[in-house]
Amino acid sequence: AYFLTSFLRFSFLLMELTLAMSSRLLFLSFLNWEREAEETEQLARFVIGGPPDIICPVDVWDKWMAELARRSNRQRESGAFLLGTKKKVRRIHEFVFYDDVDPDALSTGIVVIDGRRLGWLWEHCRRTGLEVVADVHVHPRGFGQSRSDQANPVIAEVGHKAIIIPDFATGSTSPGGIGVYEYLGARR
């Protein structure tokens, strides 16, 4: 029974890693995901030559993708800061929505955050011991990065990851159907 359980878990991880290869974003759906994450990273190194860049428990991801879809109302962009830990791999623990930080962030139909409103976010990070590991926002159609996204990153820090979800987060939100971009500096 142990062998069969281990084999099935390995098969599930291999399938999940195959789906995650293009975006190097991995969702974990295990109860003990911290321990399982280490095993997944080892398997990822074997399958794709390195660990995934970002890991998020599937229940956390699904819950907050539904909230992104609700907030967009299929009419406007919405987004969130993804809080977690940055060690070898970025692990997402919490979403903080842009319009919770700045109530006017979505009022123009695109994301515009008043930097004076970010103090609450930084204080929340200090209080919880988490940090911004990435950001996510929705687009009306594809997951490609717009010129505006490139020129105006939410966090203009080299290495910062931005995730773009197509179709106002009402369709697929899984690896392979989303965009993951890394800020290179100098508006690239």
Side-chain angles (χ1 to χ4, degrees):
Y2 175 77
F3 172 76
L4 182 58
T5 303
S6 296
F7 178 76
L8 289 174
R9 183 174 57 183
F10 176 82
S11 297
F12 173 77
L13 289 173
L14 190 58
M15 180 180 69
E16 196 167 56
L17 283 168
T18 303
L19 291 172
M21 285 173 63
S22 66
S23 64
R24 293 179 61 101
L25 174 66
L26 184 67
F27 305 102
L28 298 177
S29 57
F30 305 104
L31 295 175
N32 186 358
W33 73 282
E34 286 294 333
R35 184 179 60 77
E36 296 288 351
E38 292 174 22
E39 293 173 16
T40 302
E41 289 173 29
Q42 291 171 355
L43 183 57
R45 282 187 200 92
F46 174 75
V47 174
I48 61 177
D53 294 324
I54 303 171
I55 294 177
C56 184
V58 72
D59 60 327
V60 171
W61 186 259
D62 289 346
K63 174 183 176 184
W64 297 120
M65 285 298 107
E67 182 62 13
L68 274 177
R70 186 191 71 75
R71 289 181 188 227
S72 75
N73 198 28
R74 293 183 183 241
Q75 297 176 10
R76 66 179 188 185
E77 288 192 10
S78 63
F81 296 99
L82 306 181
L83 306 185
T85 56
K86 288 185 197 176
K87 294 182 182 167
K88 291 186 294 184
V89 174
R90 299 164 195 240
R91 298 178 193 276
I92 300 169
H93 298 279
E94 180 182 352
F95 282 45
V96 174
F97 292 91
Y98 296 152
D99 53 327
D100 288 342
V101 173
D102 178 358
D104 297 322
L106 310 177
S107 62
T108 64
I110 62 169
V111 175
V112 179
I113 300 171
D114 182 344
R116 296 174 294 183
R117 301 283 193 150
L118 293 174
W120 178 88
L121 178 65
W122 307 138
E123 179 57 34
H124 179 72
C125 287
R126 279 191 291 279
R127 209 174 37 254
T128 61
L130 301 175
E131 57 188 309
V132 176
V133 299
D135 68 82
V136 63
H137 71 273
V138 300
H139 277 188
R141 286 174 284 289
F143 55 78
Q145 196 176 37
S146 68
R147 288 183 188 173
S148 176
D149 292 336
Q150 291 174 358
N152 304 292
V154 174
I155 303 288
E157 176 181 296
V158 172
H160 180 75
K161 303 284 185 180
I163 302 170
I164 299 175
I165 310 295
D167 305 318
F168 295 119
T170 59
S172 173
T173 61
S174 299
I178 64 178
V180 180
Y181 301 89
E182 182 173 345
Y183 184 64
L184 303 175
R187 298 182 179 255
R188 299 177 292 124

PDB file of all heavy atoms in Angstrom, residues 43-60:
ATOM      1  N   LEU A  43      11.874  16.731  -7.220  1.00  0.00           N
ATOM      2  CA  LEU A  43      11.326  16.163  -8.447  1.00  0.00           C
ATOM      3  C   LEU A  43      11.394  17.190  -9.580  1.00  0.00           C
ATOM      4  O   LEU A  43      11.724  16.847 -10.709  1.00  0.00           O
ATOM      5  CB  LEU A  43       9.883  15.714  -8.220  1.00  0.00           C
ATOM      6  CG  LEU A  43       9.189  15.028  -9.392  1.00  0.00           C
ATOM      7  CD1 LEU A  43       9.969  13.799  -9.848  1.00  0.00           C
ATOM      8  CD2 LEU A  43       7.773  14.655  -9.010  1.00  0.00           C
ATOM      9  N   ALA A  44      11.122  18.453  -9.286  1.00  0.00           N
ATOM     10  CA  ALA A  44      11.188  19.501 -10.312  1.00  0.00           C
ATOM     11  C   ALA A  44      12.595  19.617 -10.875  1.00  0.00           C
ATOM     12  O   ALA A  44      12.775  19.786 -12.082  1.00  0.00           O
ATOM     13  CB  ALA A  44      10.742  20.841  -9.730  1.00  0.00           C
ATOM     14  N   ARG A  45      13.593  19.549 -10.015  1.00  0.00           N
ATOM     15  CA  ARG A  45      14.976  19.624 -10.500  1.00  0.00           C
ATOM     16  C   ARG A  45      15.250  18.494 -11.493  1.00  0.00           C
ATOM     17  O   ARG A  45      15.922  18.690 -12.491  1.00  0.00           O
ATOM     18  CB  ARG A  45      15.963  19.540  -9.337  1.00  0.00           C
ATOM     19  CG  ARG A  45      16.089  20.826  -8.591  1.00  0.00           C
ATOM     20  CD  ARG A  45      17.219  20.745  -7.557  1.00  0.00           C
ATOM     21  NE  ARG A  45      17.019  21.767  -6.572  1.00  0.00           N
ATOM     22  CZ  ARG A  45      16.360  21.614  -5.435  1.00  0.00           C
ATOM     23  NH1 ARG A  45      15.881  20.443  -5.107  1.00  0.00           N
ATOM     24  NH2 ARG A  45      16.206  22.615  -4.611  1.00  0.00           N
ATOM     25  N   PHE A  46      14.702  17.319 -11.207  1.00  0.00           N
ATOM     26  CA  PHE A  46      14.886  16.167 -12.091  1.00  0.00           C
ATOM     27  C   PHE A  46      14.151  16.370 -13.424  1.00  0.00           C
ATOM     28  O   PHE A  46      14.682  16.102 -14.478  1.00  0.00           O
ATOM     29  CB  PHE A  46      14.377  14.898 -11.391  1.00  0.00           C
ATOM     30  CG  PHE A  46      14.400  13.683 -12.263  1.00  0.00           C
ATOM     31  CD1 PHE A  46      15.590  13.045 -12.559  1.00  0.00           C
ATOM     32  CD2 PHE A  46      13.221  13.186 -12.795  1.00  0.00           C
ATOM     33  CE1 PHE A  46      15.613  11.923 -13.371  1.00  0.00           C
ATOM     34  CE2 PHE A  46      13.226  12.065 -13.607  1.00  0.00           C
ATOM     35  CZ  PHE A  46      14.428  11.435 -13.894  1.00  0.00           C
ATOM     36  N   VAL A  47      12.911  16.880 -13.381  1.00  0.00           N
ATOM     37  CA  VAL A  47      12.079  16.989 -14.574  1.00  0.00           C
ATOM     38  C   VAL A  47      12.417  18.221 -15.407  1.00  0.00           C
ATOM     39  O   VAL A  47      12.549  18.134 -16.622  1.00  0.00           O
ATOM     40  CB  VAL A  47      10.577  17.003 -14.193  1.00  0.00           C
ATOM     41  CG1 VAL A  47       9.701  17.263 -15.403  1.00  0.00           C
ATOM     42  CG2 VAL A  47      10.199  15.679 -13.544  1.00  0.00           C
ATOM     43  N   ILE A  48      12.554  19.404 -14.793  1.00  0.00           N
ATOM     44  CA  ILE A  48      12.736  20.638 -15.565  1.00  0.00           C
ATOM     45  C   ILE A  48      14.067  21.318 -15.287  1.00  0.00           C
ATOM     46  O   ILE A  48      14.285  22.442 -15.712  1.00  0.00           O
ATOM     47  CB  ILE A  48      11.580  21.639 -15.336  1.00  0.00           C
ATOM     48  CG1 ILE A  48      11.476  22.059 -13.871  1.00  0.00           C
ATOM     49  CG2 ILE A  48      10.281  21.088 -15.861  1.00  0.00           C
ATOM     50  CD1 ILE A  48      10.411  23.100 -13.590  1.00  0.00           C
ATOM     51  N   GLY A  49      14.953  20.651 -14.577  1.00  0.00           N
ATOM     52  CA  GLY A  49      16.286  21.205 -14.387  1.00  0.00           C
ATOM     53  C   GLY A  49      16.397  22.218 -13.268  1.00  0.00           C
ATOM     54  O   GLY A  49      17.402  22.886 -13.154  1.00  0.00           O
ATOM     55  N   GLY A  50      15.408  22.362 -12.453  1.00  0.00           N
ATOM     56  CA  GLY A  50      15.472  23.298 -11.347  1.00  0.00           C
ATOM     57  C   GLY A  50      14.129  23.380 -10.660  1.00  0.00           C
ATOM     58  O   GLY A  50      13.123  22.894 -11.183  1.00  0.00           O
ATOM     59  N   PRO A  51      14.106  23.983  -9.497  1.00  0.00           N
ATOM     60  CA  PRO A  51      12.836  24.093  -8.778  1.00  0.00           C
ATOM     61  C   PRO A  51      11.941  25.124  -9.446  1.00  0.00           C
ATOM     62  O   PRO A  51      12.421  25.988 -10.173  1.00  0.00           O
ATOM     63  CB  PRO A  51      13.261  24.566  -7.382  1.00  0.00           C
ATOM     64  CG  PRO A  51      14.527  25.319  -7.627  1.00  0.00           C
ATOM     65  CD  PRO A  51      15.210  24.594  -8.765  1.00  0.00           C
ATOM     66  N   PRO A  52      10.638  25.044  -9.213  1.00  0.00           N
ATOM     67  CA  PRO A  52       9.754  26.092  -9.711  1.00  0.00           C
ATOM     68  C   PRO A  52      10.105  27.406  -9.027  1.00  0.00           C
ATOM     69  O   PRO A  52      10.673  27.418  -7.935  1.00  0.00           O
ATOM     70  CB  PRO A  52       8.357  25.613  -9.320  1.00  0.00           C
ATOM     71  CG  PRO A  52       8.587  24.646  -8.206  1.00  0.00           C
ATOM     72  CD  PRO A  52       9.935  24.042  -8.434  1.00  0.00           C
ATOM     73  N   ASP A  53       9.798  28.513  -9.676  1.00  0.00           N
ATOM     74  CA  ASP A  53      10.093  29.831  -9.097  1.00  0.00           C
ATOM     75  C   ASP A  53       9.129  30.193  -7.981  1.00  0.00           C
ATOM     76  O   ASP A  53       9.492  30.882  -7.032  1.00  0.00           O
ATOM     77  CB  ASP A  53      10.021  30.913 -10.173  1.00  0.00           C
ATOM     78  CG  ASP A  53      11.098  30.761 -11.218  1.00  0.00           C
ATOM     79  OD1 ASP A  53      12.219  30.362 -10.880  1.00  0.00           O
ATOM     80  OD2 ASP A  53      10.798  31.044 -12.389  1.00  0.00           O
ATOM     81  N   ILE A  54       7.867  29.773  -8.135  1.00  0.00           N
ATOM     82  CA  ILE A  54       6.806  30.163  -7.198  1.00  0.00           C
ATOM     83  C   ILE A  54       5.973  28.933  -6.871  1.00  0.00           C
ATOM     84  O   ILE A  54       5.612  28.167  -7.767  1.00  0.00           O
ATOM     85  CB  ILE A  54       5.893  31.240  -7.820  1.00  0.00           C
ATOM     86  CG1 ILE A  54       6.710  32.465  -8.233  1.00  0.00           C
ATOM     87  CG2 ILE A  54       4.790  31.639  -6.852  1.00  0.00           C
ATOM     88  CD1 ILE A  54       5.929  33.486  -9.038  1.00  0.00           C
ATOM     89  N   ILE A  55       5.647  28.779  -5.590  1.00  0.00           N
ATOM     90  CA  ILE A  55       4.795  27.680  -5.147  1.00  0.00           C
ATOM     91  C   ILE A  55       3.633  28.266  -4.365  1.00  0.00           C
ATOM     92  O   ILE A  55       3.811  29.169  -3.547  1.00  0.00           O
ATOM     93  CB  ILE A  55       5.578  26.687  -4.259  1.00  0.00           C
ATOM     94  CG1 ILE A  55       6.660  25.990  -5.079  1.00  0.00           C
ATOM     95  CG2 ILE A  55       4.637  25.663  -3.648  1.00  0.00           C
ATOM     96  CD1 ILE A  55       7.526  25.053  -4.273  1.00  0.00           C
ATOM     97  N   CYS A  56       2.427  27.743  -4.630  1.00  0.00           N
ATOM     98  CA  CYS A  56       1.235  28.192  -3.919  1.00  0.00           C
ATOM     99  C   CYS A  56       0.313  27.001  -3.690  1.00  0.00           C
ATOM    100  O   CYS A  56       0.052  26.239  -4.629  1.00  0.00           O
ATOM    101  CB  CYS A  56       0.507  29.257  -4.749  1.00  0.00           C
ATOM    102  SG  CYS A  56      -0.923  29.973  -3.913  1.00  0.00           S
ATOM    103  N   PRO A  57      -0.192  26.836  -2.470  1.00  0.00           N
ATOM    104  CA  PRO A  57      -1.180  25.769  -2.245  1.00  0.00           C
ATOM    105  C   PRO A  57      -2.396  25.993  -3.140  1.00  0.00           C
ATOM    106  O   PRO A  57      -2.868  27.123  -3.284  1.00  0.00           O
ATOM    107  CB  PRO A  57      -1.551  25.904  -0.770  1.00  0.00           C
ATOM    108  CG  PRO A  57      -0.458  26.710  -0.159  1.00  0.00           C
ATOM    109  CD  PRO A  57       0.076  27.591  -1.240  1.00  0.00           C
ATOM    110  N   VAL A  58      -2.900  24.950  -3.753  1.00  0.00           N
ATOM    111  CA  VAL A  58      -3.990  25.086  -4.712  1.00  0.00           C
ATOM    112  C   VAL A  58      -5.240  25.676  -4.070  1.00  0.00           C
ATOM    113  O   VAL A  58      -5.959  26.443  -4.711  1.00  0.00           O
ATOM    114  CB  VAL A  58      -4.279  23.739  -5.421  1.00  0.00           C
ATOM    115  CG1 VAL A  58      -4.951  22.746  -4.496  1.00  0.00           C
ATOM    116  CG2 VAL A  58      -5.073  23.959  -6.686  1.00  0.00           C
ATOM    117  N   ASP A  59      -5.522  25.357  -2.798  1.00  0.00           N
ATOM    118  CA  ASP A  59      -6.720  25.915  -2.164  1.00  0.00           C
ATOM    119  C   ASP A  59      -6.594  27.425  -1.991  1.00  0.00           C
ATOM    120  O   ASP A  59      -7.561  28.167  -2.172  1.00  0.00           O
ATOM    121  CB  ASP A  59      -7.028  25.224  -0.832  1.00  0.00           C
ATOM    122  CG  ASP A  59      -5.919  25.339   0.189  1.00  0.00           C
ATOM    123  OD1 ASP A  59      -4.727  25.362  -0.193  1.00  0.00           O
ATOM    124  OD2 ASP A  59      -6.225  25.393   1.399  1.00  0.00           O
ATOM    125  N   VAL A  60      -5.402  27.918  -1.673  1.00  0.00           N
ATOM    126  CA  VAL A  60      -5.167  29.359  -1.565  1.00  0.00           C
ATOM    127  C   VAL A  60      -5.344  30.002  -2.943  1.00  0.00           C
ATOM    128  O   VAL A  60      -6.047  31.005  -3.097  1.00  0.00           O
ATOM    129  CB  VAL A  60      -3.753  29.651  -1.004  1.00  0.00           C
ATOM    130  CG1 VAL A  60      -3.403  31.132  -1.092  1.00  0.00           C
ATOM    131  CG2 VAL A  60      -3.636  29.158   0.430  1.00  0.00           C
TER     132      VAL A  60
END
